[in-house]
Amino acid sequence: MGEALHISSYYLSHVFKQMSGYSPVQYLLRRRIGEAQTLLITTDLSITRIAEMVGYDTQSYFNLQFTKNVGMPPNKFRQNYIVPSGTEEKPRRRRK
C-alpha cells in the first residue's frame, strides 16, 4: 500500500494505527474474523470453506486465530449462535 501511495510503509502503518486504533495487520485479522463470524451464523458452509473465503490457507491456523480472538473455536461459536429453524421458544404462560 505504501508504494501505491508513494509513502514509506512505516509511516503508513503509523498513520493507519493513529486513525483506526489498529495496525494494518491487526485490522485485517479483525476483519477476517468478523466476516467468518457472520458466515458461520448465516450460512451452512463448512468451516474449511469459510476459512478459505476469509483468506486462511489452512483450517487449523484459522481455528487457532479464531479461538484466540473470539474465545471459542468456530464450531462452538456456530453452535452457540445459531437457533435451529422450527425450535424457536414459544412464550410461556405465567403461573398465578
Side-chain angles (χ1 to χ4, degrees):
M1 286 192 309
E3 281 184 31
L5 297 171
H6 304 290
I7 58 175
S8 76
S9 57
Y10 173 79
Y11 180 71
L12 174 65
S13 180
H14 176 74
V15 171
F16 191 94
K17 185 169 185 171
Q18 190 175 28
M19 299 300 287
S20 71
Y22 302 102
S23 72
V25 173
Q26 290 171 323
Y27 179 80
L28 180 60
L29 175 67
R30 291 176 60 85
R31 287 293 307 259
R32 286 177 171 177
I33 297 299
E35 181 64 19
Q37 288 174 307
T38 300
L39 291 169
L40 285 165
I41 293 171
T42 61
T43 71
D44 291 331
L45 295 169
S46 71
I47 293 172
T48 302
R49 181 67 184 121
I50 291 171
E52 291 171 355
M53 290 174 70
V54 297
Y56 288 90
D57 293 329
T58 64
Q59 182 183 339
S60 62
Y61 188 64
F62 168 70
N63 288 347
L64 179 72
Q65 289 299 313
F66 190 96
T67 302
K68 184 177 175 182
N69 286 278
V70 177
M72 67 180 75
N75 58 344
K76 187 170 184 180
F77 179 85
R78 178 177 262 170
Q79 290 170 356
N80 285 349
Y81 292 98
I82 290 184
V83 176
S85 61
T87 61
E88 291 84 18
E89 282 192 30
K90 295 178 183 175
R92 295 182 183 177
R93 289 186 173 186
R94 292 187 179 170
R95 294 183 184 180
K96 293 183 182 181

